[in-house]
Amino acid sequence: MTITLLDIFDIALAALLLFYTYRIMKESGALNLFYGVLAFVVVWVVASQILEMKLIGSILDKFISLGLLIIVILFPDQIKRFLVQLGDRKRWRILRKLFRMQRADTDRKNEAVHKIVLPVVYSCINMSKSRTGALIVIERSMPLESYEMSGDIIDARINTRLIENIFFKNSPLHDGAMIIAHYRIKSAGSILPVSHDTNVPRHLGLRHRSALGISQATDAVAVVVSEETGAISIAYGGTLSTRLTSTELEQRLSQILDD
């Protein structure tokens, strides 16, 4: 059997595609699903193609033909997160730069800093000092309309005083989440999915688990102010970073919203 240049290119392309899929599924928290599918495909190839086991091969062929549907039914959250990571704008930054000027990116960054980052940071600093609990979610590329509808629609301009008033302890909306999208406060008192990650420290409450949950289900970034300690935390990409300073909070938000 002769190996042509096309065969080498085919193998290299398949390996690259497999490695890239592995990286995305690792970032999306679906690595175990990747390993399971990979193991199943290896068994199928060995049984049906190499050993030519007809009965086992035919059974596995049926599973392969229905495999995508089964995976979507059994692992909807992991598939959603995988697709979000696949469509993340930062992965296509090179292509975007071909069609957009660098100045436009700079203007968008400055707009995000002034209209979103600074009001959120200032309000979190004040709420941290008074130990006012807060949970603020900032939309990125994945829409959050379904979560907005679970709370009270506000659709107001972002400003520090409004944020602090919403999370004031006697406010009826202070227990839920505030959702910011398109440079507007879209809703308050919204309900978020709660993370059941066993690695979350026990002293962290429902706000932190909700922030982590929305970061696992979508590509949004969530900011939490602890009511007990006043500590500021950020949840993004399924990772929770706790006890941030005001400078670290501003840097993290600016970096995330710039991607």
Side-chain angles (χ1 to χ4, degrees):
M1 181 180 67
T2 59
I3 300 178
T4 64
L5 185 61
L6 183 61
D7 294 328
I8 297 176
F9 177 75
D10 186 24
I11 294 173
L13 187 62
L16 182 63
L17 178 63
L18 189 63
F19 175 72
Y20 190 69
T21 303
Y22 164 81
R23 285 186 56 186
I24 297 178
M25 299 198 78
K26 182 179 180 180
E27 294 175 7
S28 63
L31 192 57
N32 290 335
L33 176 60
F34 173 81
Y35 286 144
V37 172
L38 183 62
F40 187 86
V41 170
V42 169
V43 172
W44 171 67
V45 170
V46 171
S48 62
Q49 305 296 324
I50 298 178
L51 300 180
E52 297 183 352
M53 302 171 68
K54 295 183 179 180
L55 180 59
I56 296 296
S58 61
I59 294 175
L60 294 179
D61 286 341
K62 296 296 182 182
F63 275 104
I64 288 293
S65 61
L66 297 174
L68 181 60
L69 179 61
I70 294 174
I71 290 175
V72 170
I73 293 175
L74 294 180
F75 306 98
D77 294 336
Q78 290 86 343
I79 294 298
K80 181 191 293 186
R81 183 67 185 166
F82 169 72
L83 294 176
V84 170
Q85 290 286 344
L86 182 62
D88 196 346
R89 289 174 295 181
K90 67 183 180 180
R91 298 187 183 279
W92 311 103
R93 182 175 295 172
I94 296 178
L95 293 178
R96 288 193 295 119
K97 285 185 177 181
L98 294 177
F99 300 98
R100 296 181 60 184
M101 298 298 290
Q102 186 65 33
R103 182 174 179 179
D105 287 335
T106 303
D107 292 342
R108 181 175 58 84
K109 178 181 178 181
N110 292 335
E111 186 178 18
V113 169
H114 289 287
K115 289 188 175 181
I116 299 178
V117 176
L118 294 182
V120 169
V121 171
Y122 292 151
S123 61
C124 286
I125 293 174
N126 295 333
M127 290 186 292
S128 175
K129 292 177 181 178
S130 62
R131 295 195 177 183
T132 301
L135 173 53
I136 304 171
V137 179
I138 304 173
E139 178 185 280
R140 295 184 68 244
S141 61
M142 186 173 182
L144 302 176
E145 283 92 347
S146 60
Y147 301 106
E148 294 172 12
M149 298 305 295
S150 66
D152 291 288
I153 302 300
I154 296 179
D155 194 22
R157 184 175 61 86
I158 305 170
N159 66 80
T160 301
R161 289 186 178 180
L162 178 57
I163 295 175
E164 293 179 32
N165 286 333
I166 288 176
F167 289 111
F168 182 66
K169 293 181 181 180
N170 293 330
S171 168
L173 300 176
H174 80 281
D175 280 334
M178 173 187 292
I179 296 180
I180 295 176
H182 306 294
Y183 305 105
R184 306 277 292 179
I185 298 176
K186 290 294 185 178
S187 69
S190 298
I191 301 173
L192 305 181
V194 178
S195 174
H196 299 286
D197 192 337
T198 57
N199 294 323
V200 178
R202 292 185 177 181
H203 68 273
L204 298 180
L206 183 60
R207 284 192 180 92
H208 292 83
R209 289 191 172 274
S210 297
L212 186 59
I214 194 67
S215 74
Q216 292 172 338
T218 69
D219 66 340
V221 55
V223 182
V224 183
V225 179
S226 173
E227 188 172 352
E228 288 74 23
T229 64
I232 301 174
S233 306
I234 274 188
Y236 176 66
T239 301
L240 184 64
S241 303
T242 60
R243 299 188 177 279
L244 302 178
T245 65
S246 58
T247 302
E248 291 172 337
L249 176 63
E250 181 179 351
Q251 291 175 347
R252 286 282 289 145
L253 286 179
S254 299
Q255 179 185 7
I256 292 171
L257 297 180
D258 184 41
D259 284 340

